């Protein structure tokens, strides 16, 4: 019994620190656009093997993420885009070619005119989105259609502008969050078999970004609770050690 008590407390203390690391990561990403809060939970794991039947382990896990919508903040940057629906994701292509999904719409354009999210390419209806070199302004409509305004051969002024021309449309997908797996880069990978289709009902807002859905106050409270859980398990370990010493003393006296 003492053996089980000690091992349960030991692993409880270890994985309380693991939960604390997850909460710290959530707190560090309170200002990261589109970040989704990670859940944490404890679960028991039986120990198999000869001589291990008296031992039990506790491990922490991240069973999922909170996909509730974050606050939409207006920025005025034409390359910032926020999804107005509570569901839906932008599709991007990682450097390794795989497709991933995110709620972050803080885009930028590289020297080749490719629309990017960090190192990832933002996907359109067919491939990545490339803005023409002659484009002077960009307009993104509510359905994700991207249009650019070109300049004529004369000097750029109001008279030389040409009307907006559609060049592509953002690939917006509505994926069941249960089928999404968070990767180390913070993006979500799709766990389904077929590539998800574009959802024409999703709407976006140009010049705005969706902020993280992490509540800093709640995260701070969780950190305090997890620190207390770690301290409590450490006290249990000390108690188990004291009980073991007392039991050894009694056994020695009985043999004497």
């Amino acid at each position: 019994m003492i053996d089980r008590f000690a091992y349960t407390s030991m692993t409880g203390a270890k994985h309380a620190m693991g939960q604390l690391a997850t909460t710290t990561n959530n707190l560090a990403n309170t200002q990261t656009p589109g970040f989704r809060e990670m859940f944490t939970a404890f679960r028991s794991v039986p120990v198999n093997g000869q001589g291990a039947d008296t031992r039990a382990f506790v491990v922490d896990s991240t069973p999922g993420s909170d996909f509730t919508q974050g606050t939409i903040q207006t920025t005025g940057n034409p390359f910032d885009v926020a999804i107005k629906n509570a569901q839906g994701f932008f599709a991007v292509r990682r450097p390794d070619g795989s497709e991933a999904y995110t709620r972050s719409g803080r885009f930028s354009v590289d020297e080749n005119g490719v629309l990017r999210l960090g190192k990832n390419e933002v996907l359109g209806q067919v491939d990545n989105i490339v803005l023409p070199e002659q484009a002077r302004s960009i307009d993104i409509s509510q359905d994700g259609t991207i249009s650019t305004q070109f300049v004529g051969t004369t000097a750029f002024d109001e008279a030389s502008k040409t009307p907006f021309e559609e060049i592509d449309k953002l690939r917006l997908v509505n994926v069941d969050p249960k089928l999404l797996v968070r990767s180390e880069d913070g993006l979500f990978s799709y766990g389904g078999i077929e590539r998800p289709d574009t959802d024409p009902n999703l709407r976006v807002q140009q010049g705005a970004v969706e902020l993280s859905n992490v509540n800093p106050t709640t995260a701070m409270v969780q950190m305090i609770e997890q620190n207390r859980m770690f301290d409590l398990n450490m006290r249990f370990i000390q108690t188990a050690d004291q009980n073991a010493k007392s039991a050894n003393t009694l056994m020695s006296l009985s043999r004497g």
Side-chain angles (χ1 to χ4, degrees), residues 2-248:
I2 294 176
D3 193 30
R4 179 184 290 272
F5 183 24
Y7 272 84
T8 302
S9 300
M10 177 191 69
T11 53
K14 174 184 176 183
H15 292 288
M17 291 300 293
Q19 281 197 343
L20 184 59
T22 300
T23 303
T24 302
N25 182 63
N26 286 337
L27 193 60
N29 284 281
T30 54
Q31 298 299 317
T32 302
F35 181 81
R36 289 294 172 262
E37 181 180 11
M38 293 186 290
F39 292 131
T40 59
F42 283 126
R43 61 187 179 91
S44 61
V45 176
V47 181
N48 300 319
Q50 186 175 2
D53 54 343
T54 63
R55 298 172 182 174
F57 284 92
V58 175
V59 299
D60 69 300
S61 61
T62 52
S65 301
D66 180 6
F67 285 95
T68 57
Q69 189 173 20
T71 302
I72 295 180
Q73 182 182 71
T74 302
T75 64
N77 186 339
F79 293 108
D80 286 344
V81 187
I83 298 177
K84 299 170 67 174
N85 307 70
Q87 299 81 27
F89 297 86
F90 297 106
V92 297
R93 179 188 293 148
R94 293 190 177 100
D96 63 4
S98 61
E99 185 169 302
Y101 307 97
T102 179
R103 291 283 294 193
S104 176
R106 180 152 286 175
F107 303 143
S108 61
V109 178
D110 65 14
E111 63 277 7
N112 297 317
V114 178
L115 193 64
R116 291 185 174 275
L117 176 67
K119 297 180 180 179
N120 311 289
E121 298 177 345
V122 180
L123 292 179
Q125 294 300 294
V126 179
D127 204 342
N128 61 347
I129 299 172
V130 182
L131 301 181
E133 184 179 355
Q134 299 84 4
R136 294 291 182 177
S137 59
I138 180 174
D139 177 78
I140 302 177
S141 61
Q142 291 193 15
D143 65 354
T145 300
I146 302 175
S147 303
T148 58
Q149 195 171 44
F150 300 91
V151 295
T153 56
T154 59
F156 177 67
D157 55 22
E158 292 298 321
S160 64
K161 288 182 181 179
T162 57
F164 279 97
E165 295 183 18
E166 180 180 331
I167 61 169
D168 209 332
K169 187 177 181 180
L170 292 170
R171 175 163 156 70
L172 302 169
V173 299
N174 193 349
V175 186
D176 184 354
K178 296 178 181 179
L179 298 177
L180 293 177
V181 180
R182 187 192 298 267
S183 304
E184 293 182 359
D185 57 5
L187 302 175
F188 290 96
S189 299
Y190 181 57
I193 299 175
E194 298 181 356
R195 185 170 180 252
D197 295 327
T198 300
D199 188 345
N201 298 316
L202 294 177
R203 293 294 179 264
V204 300
Q205 178 179 343
Q206 185 180 16
V209 291
E210 180 185 352
L211 302 180
S212 167
N213 65 355
V214 177
N215 186 317
T217 303
T218 302
M220 288 295 297
V221 172
Q222 289 175 342
M223 288 182 67
I224 294 172
E225 293 176 346
Q226 289 157 1
N227 270 307
R228 289 177 176 173
M229 181 65 69
F230 174 80
D231 292 338
L232 182 62
N233 277 284
M234 291 302 295
R235 292 174 187 171
F236 284 158
I237 294 173
Q238 294 172 355
T239 301
D241 182 56
Q242 293 172 358
N243 290 344
K245 289 179 179 178
S246 298
N248 288 335

